[in-house]
Amino acid sequence: MTRVNKVNPLDFPLQGTRLIEASAGTGKTYTIAALYVRLILGTTEDASEPLRDLLPPDILVVTFTDAATKELRERIRARLTQAAAFFRQQSTDCDEFLTALRTRYAPVLWPACARRLELAAN
């Protein structure tokens, strides 16, 4: 029998290879975009440590069709842009994930986080 685990994008392990498999409408794209934001910001669990250099060419996200790939790319880019604006305090357009994620970083690091997110979105 397959074991089912609910994925929390804030504490999901970022090391190694991971498979996210779920039915339609369960939040896979949301979760993948959230994990992507975390990867861009650094893979360390201790946000006081320096950010590791990890950019889009270092991250592999796979889906099944060209249309799904295009949609996923657009949704990830939009999420990166939204997160960058939130870290710059230029937007209140956020959710629980972004709010909790930003609290893991000292406010002095927020501009650097925003810059990394913007670079990744571009």
Side-chain angles (χ1 to χ4, degrees):
M1 176 178 247
T2 302
R3 182 176 172 183
V4 176
N5 295 322
K6 183 174 170 132
V7 174
N8 179 347
L10 279 170
D11 60 21
F12 191 78
L14 297 178
Q15 303 297 334
T17 302
R18 304 287 182 228
L19 171 67
I20 297 175
E21 184 178 23
S23 301
T26 58
K28 288 182 302 296
T29 301
Y30 173 90
T31 300
I32 290 168
L35 293 172
Y36 203 98
V37 167
R38 281 188 55 214
L39 286 167
I40 294 299
L41 291 178
T43 59
T44 178
E45 296 303 316
D46 180 1
S48 65
E49 293 180 23
L51 301 176
R52 186 173 154 216
D53 291 330
L54 196 62
L55 292 171
D58 304 311
I59 303 168
L60 177 64
V61 180
V62 179
T63 189
F64 293 103
T65 66
D66 288 339
T69 300
K70 182 180 178 186
E71 179 187 351
L72 186 57
R73 183 182 307 120
E74 290 170 2
R75 297 264 304 267
I76 289 172
R77 183 173 286 129
R79 186 62 158 168
L80 291 166
T81 301
Q82 177 193 29
F86 186 63
F87 269 88
R88 287 206 188 281
Q89 298 179 291
Q90 296 173 337
S91 173
T92 56
D93 178 27
C94 69
D95 54 17
E96 290 179 25
F97 167 76
L98 285 180
T99 301
L101 180 65
R102 191 173 71 176
T103 64
R104 293 182 173 195
Y105 295 87
V108 69
L109 294 175
W110 292 356
C113 290
R115 180 72 180 136
R116 288 187 64 77
L117 293 162
E118 287 170 349
L119 285 172
N122 291 329

